[in-house]
Amino acid sequence: MSEFQLGDGWLPSSDSFWVSNTEIGVIAQKGGANGVSYGLLTLAQDGSSELALPLADQGHCITPDRRFLLRTGSRSAPEAVEWRVDRTTTPLESPQVITLCKSQLAKANRDNEDRFGRQNVLATDGTRFAGLLAAGEDTSEIVLYDAQDILGRWKIAGDLWRDPVEAVARPDGSFLFYADVGARRQAELKDQFGYEGIPTFVISADGDFEMRDLPWPGWKKVGNYKIAESRVGWLLAATSRRNDAIDGLYHLGLDGWRQIRKTDVLPETLEISPDGCRVLWHEREDAASAGGPRQIRSATLCRSDD
């Protein structure tokens, strides 16, 4: 496992992200005599860090094709740039490009409301969009489409459109949907619609649709988790306000979910590298310090000969 110390007074100001299969990027901040400074730091697997680009603020957007849009200059006169892994930058037309990038899904939802109705959750790979919406009182629908064509529509049992559902466009061109629900709601979904575990759906890069009924973690009373699929199987990051013993990272094996790291993890920070062989997350050393500093961690999942 790699533990990252940003050094020089830098602290993470937002979630981290994979820049490549081995390098991590984080928007960081630090205080100084002239106020708060921001920067893009890159983290190598040996734990070292580098200030890759000074920033005007923490505003940024990562496009589905992994372009990194950032604001440089000063807060009073910011300039938008596209940053690349080779440490080169290209100026963009306007700082508003980042705002437009971040509002892309909301715009797509509005633009396609006449085609499908309001989508409750939506993801995009830059060309195709996948969304979940209501298709009746006790039925939901997942749709796959681009600007011209509807590429697929699948009815699924249950009023999942009422629940917090996560939609993820994955590096291999597939889409992942799963419901982030608590034990009481999961029991309702099981009794009424037959879901034995976490309702999970995958649209492959070729457009094939499949339900993955992942086992329900029996110790989980409330919904606050994130799941992701790696080269070695499914991972889950979970936290609970009621029982610190269940906080941490889990791997799905033949016997169900097994805790592989007990820690005060921040589930929303769980990220798998583009090649599926490494995992990244943030944690806090003290579970009681809700506002305490984040620690950035990563681990290698694949064997060297995989």
Side-chain angles (χ1 to χ4, degrees):
M1 183 180 73
S2 299
E3 303 181 6
F4 300 100
Q5 302 296 327
L6 302 188
D8 197 26
W10 290 105
L11 294 172
S13 65
S14 67
D15 299 344
S16 303
F17 47 88
W18 288 101
V19 171
S20 66
N21 288 323
T22 59
E23 194 173 30
I24 295 166
V26 59
I27 308 299
Q29 66 181 51
K30 68 175 180 176
N34 297 321
V36 178
S37 299
Y38 296 92
L40 167 65
L41 273 65
T42 55
L43 313 176
Q45 290 302 300
D46 63 4
S48 62
S49 63
E50 172 194 357
L51 176 60
L53 188 68
L55 300 177
D57 53 38
Q58 59 186 334
H60 66 285
C61 185
I62 304 172
T63 67
D65 56 354
R66 303 198 63 74
R67 297 165 55 221
F68 301 95
L69 310 184
L70 306 159
R71 279 195 286 261
T72 59
S74 65
R75 269 169 280 185
S76 59
E79 300 175 356
V81 299
E82 178 184 340
W83 178 86
R84 288 181 290 276
V85 180
D86 62 5
R87 298 334 191 235
T88 60
T89 60
T90 301
L92 301 176
E93 293 180 0
S94 164
Q96 296 305 312
V97 168
I98 294 176
T99 303
L100 295 173
C101 171
K102 296 172 76 169
S103 62
Q104 180 184 15
L105 292 179
K107 181 178 184 302
N109 206 341
R110 292 193 301 269
D111 291 348
N112 288 280
E113 194 162 357
D114 289 343
R115 296 171 83 183
F116 311 112
R118 192 70 174 170
Q119 297 165 80
N120 294 70
V121 64
L122 184 62
T124 182
D125 62 6
T127 303
R128 300 173 303 161
F129 295 84
L132 181 143
L133 61 151
E137 186 67 21
D138 293 329
T139 307
S140 303
E141 184 177 35
I142 290 177
V143 294
L144 178 68
Y145 60 95
D146 59 21
Q148 288 80 35
D149 301 311
I150 298 174
L151 307 174
R153 304 185 77 151
W154 301 275
K155 296 286 179 60
I156 54 177
D159 51 349
L160 294 176
W161 50 271
R162 300 182 187 272
D163 297 307
V165 173
E166 299 294 329
V168 183
R170 304 196 291 186
D172 65 355
S174 65
F175 291 89
L176 168 68
F177 290 81
Y178 67 92
D180 183 3
V181 298
R184 181 179 300 177
R185 175 57 173 156
Q186 192 276 334
E188 293 176 355
L189 292 172
K190 179 179 179 179
D191 291 343
Q192 297 177 21
F193 306 109
Y195 290 107
E196 294 292 336
I198 302 172
T200 307
F201 310 91
V202 173
I203 304 173
S204 73
D206 295 329
D208 297 325
F209 182 80
E210 182 182 0
M211 188 180 87
R212 309 271 187 91
D213 204 7
L214 300 185
W216 176 255
W219 36 258
K220 197 76 184 86
K221 301 300 182 185
V222 297
N224 189 10
Y225 54 82
K226 181 176 180 179
I227 62 174
E229 191 175 16
S230 73
R231 285 264 298 274
V232 300
W234 290 92
L235 299 177
L236 180 147
T239 187
S240 172
R241 295 185 299 272
R242 304 175 186 177
N243 183 359
D244 293 344
I246 71 171
D247 294 354
L249 297 178
Y250 293 79
H251 176 256
L252 180 59
L254 296 177
D255 298 327
W257 296 104
R258 179 177 65 88
Q259 190 178 61
I260 56 176
R261 180 167 174 80
K262 182 183 179 301
T263 182
D264 183 29
V265 66
L266 283 72
E268 68 276 9
T269 63
L270 179 72
E271 295 291 340
I272 305 297
S273 61
D275 66 359
C277 276
R278 290 178 174 83
V279 59
L280 158 70
W281 71 94
H282 290 200
E283 62 184 45
R284 293 193 176 98
E285 293 182 354
D286 181 3
S289 60
R294 299 179 173 195
Q295 310 296 322
I296 303 174
R297 303 283 188 264
S298 78
T300 300
L301 303 170
C302 303
R303 299 190 305 266
S304 58
D305 58 348
D306 282 352

